[in-house]
């Protein structure tokens, strides 16, 4: 018999801020329970012509597997308020806003793992790096607090996953990737504003202190695989828990195809990451 066609999962569109592009689409599993949360961050070299529709297939697949997928939109290069620092503020606010959404939608804030593709991979790892940003940087801190008077701190993450991510912005500048997209994002070259690159580039803030997964295909023509290779080597040398998967014959967009073997690999490492996070949490609670 042919497989029964399943109805699509309809997400809940929710604003996380007052601006037009400050919203996300929350895909929820059908079964009740406290759900791990996977913020999804689309790529497109941070430019406005690409949007969150790139991640629709992944979001629905994750929800069918029991995860809450928070597919976020954000202001990008070409949008009013996008680029430096607005793009970073939006992504940070979207993830921190999960504190507000958690009680109503049964979200487990101790199991939050952002997944980003390409420029979104950069932003996913940047979220993990936020606690290391200098206090005087425009990118430091959070705009979301759960109680009046509470210090606004970045939401802690259980890990982060990069799918062909642009993880080193200085390297992206040196290679002139996508016609100097990183200059459009940060508004400056590296020699003229090293402090911006230091606050915006995950590679500049290593070690991050959280589990990181990097997945990159050998046929990727958009983001050089050397960026992931070099990042993984440096992070591991500094003691970070890093899993690096180099997938033979996989290109830049295979990694966001829910029907591809690359996505199956990603699901395996996501499950392992969350399992290990739970084991660490149990040990910590027993020790206390």
């Amino acid at each position: 018999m042919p497989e029964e066609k399943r109805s699509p999962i309809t997400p809940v569109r929710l604003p996380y801020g007052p601006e037009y592009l400050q919203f996300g689409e929350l895909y929820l599993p059908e079964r009740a329970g406290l759900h791990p949360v996977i913020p999804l961050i689309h790529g497109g070299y941070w430019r406005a012509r690409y949007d969150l529709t790139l991640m629709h297939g992944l979001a629905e697949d994750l929800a069918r597997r029991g995860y809450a997928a928070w597919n976020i939109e954000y202001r990008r290069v070409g949008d009013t308020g996008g680029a430096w620092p607005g793009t970073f503020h939006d992504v940070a606010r979207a993830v921190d806003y999960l504190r507000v959404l958690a009680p109503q939608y049964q979200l487990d804030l101790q199991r939050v793992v952002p997944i980003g593709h390409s420029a979104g991979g950069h932003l996913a790892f940047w979220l993990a790096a936020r606690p290391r940003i200098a206090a005087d940087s425009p990118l430091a801190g959070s705009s979301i607090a759960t109680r009046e008077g509470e210090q606004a701190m970045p939401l802690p993450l259980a890990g982060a996953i990069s799918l062909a991510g642009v993880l080193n912005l200085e390297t992206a500048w040196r290679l002139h990737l996508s016609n100097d997209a990183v200059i459009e994002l940060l508004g400056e070259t590296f020699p003229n504003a090293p402090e911006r690159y230091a606050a915006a580039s995950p590679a500049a803030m290593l070690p991050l202190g959280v589990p990181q997964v990097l997945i990159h295909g050998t046929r990727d023509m958009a983001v050089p695989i050397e960026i992931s290779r070099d990042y993984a080597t440096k992070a591991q040398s500094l003691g970070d828990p890093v899993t690096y998967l180099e997938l033979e014959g996989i290109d830049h967009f295979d990694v966001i195809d829910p029907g591809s073997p690359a996505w199956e690999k990603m699901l395996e490492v996501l499950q392992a990451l969350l399992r290990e996070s739970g084991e660490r949490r149990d040990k910590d609670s027993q020790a206390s």
Side-chain angles (χ1 to χ4, degrees), residues 179-216:
N179 297 313
D180 288 320
V182 73
I183 298 177
E184 295 178 9
L185 174 68
L186 299 185
E188 295 283 357
T189 64
F190 174 72
N192 289 339
E195 73 287 349
R196 290 194 179 191
Y197 286 74
S201 179
M205 291 184 276
L206 287 169
L208 307 190
V210 300
Q212 298 146 66
V213 176
L214 298 83
I215 299 176
H216 216 125

Side-chain angles (χ1 to χ4, degrees), residues 45 116-119 121-122 125 161-168 177 213-232 243-256 262-263 265-266 269:
Y45 272 110
H117 173 240
S118 195
H122 152 254
F125 274 33
I161 298 177
S162 165
L163 306 176
V166 190
L167 303 176
N168 189 322
L177 293 185
V213 176
L214 298 83
I215 299 176
H216 216 125
T218 59
R219 291 183 58 200
D220 194 318
M221 303 302 290
V223 177
I225 197 170
E226 288 76 17
I227 288 182
S228 289
R229 286 174 179 165
D230 293 347
Y231 180 98
T243 300
Y244 174 55
L245 298 179
E246 190 168 298
L247 303 182
E248 190 68 33
I250 294 296
D251 70 22
H252 190 64
F253 290 99
D254 287 339
V255 293
I256 55 169
W263 183 244
K265 285 287 187 183
M266 197 293 306
V269 295

Side-chain angles (χ1 to χ4, degrees), residues 93-116:
R93 184 180 180 90
V95 171
D96 291 347
Y97 196 71
L98 290 169
R99 289 184 172 121
V100 179
L101 300 178
Q104 180 176 355
Y105 295 103
Q106 295 184 297
L107 307 179
D108 187 350
L109 296 185
Q110 295 190 52
R111 293 188 292 169
V112 178
V113 179
I115 297 175

